[in-house]
Amino acid sequence: LGIYQEGGAVVMTVADQGPGFPSQEIPTLFTKTGFRQRIRTLPESTGLGLFIVGKSVRDLGGTISCQSVEGKGATFTIRLPRHAI
């Protein structure tokens, strides 16, 4: 977990050592397409979490990204303009 300022943005990072994501899934993690795929393949998940976070971040004028190696975890990075905080 990290938070720092970078230029006019506040950057937050969250890293885990979970199962990670396949590289082909990363571009759609925060979209409706990704949401639909997750609910089909992960019956224990609603698939809404990443979609809601992605939409909220974009609504505030920010960006969200994920770097992941399948089987070795993921790091999520959120950048928000300072005026959005």
Side-chain angles (χ1 to χ4, degrees), residues 6-58:
E6 186 177 85
V10 174
V11 181
M12 295 165 275
T13 60
V14 178
D16 67 31
Q17 296 177 344
F21 298 94
S23 58
Q24 69 272 16
E25 196 175 311
I26 292 174
T28 63
L29 280 179
F30 309 103
T31 67
K32 285 184 182 179
T33 302
F35 154 70
R36 290 184 188 114
Q37 179 63 28
R38 280 187 299 285
I39 61 172
R40 281 195 299 270
T41 59
L42 298 170
E44 70 279 3
S45 171
T46 65
L48 284 171
L50 294 175
F51 173 70
I52 291 170
V53 170
K55 179 164 179 8
S56 299
V57 168
R58 289 187 300 274

Side-chain angles (χ1 to χ4, degrees), residues 8-10 54-64 78-85:
V10 174
K55 179 164 179 8
S56 299
V57 168
R58 289 187 300 274
D59 286 350
L60 290 169
T63 62
I64 186 167
I78 297 172
R79 284 183 171 75
L80 293 173
R82 286 186 59 203
H83 65 43
I85 305 287

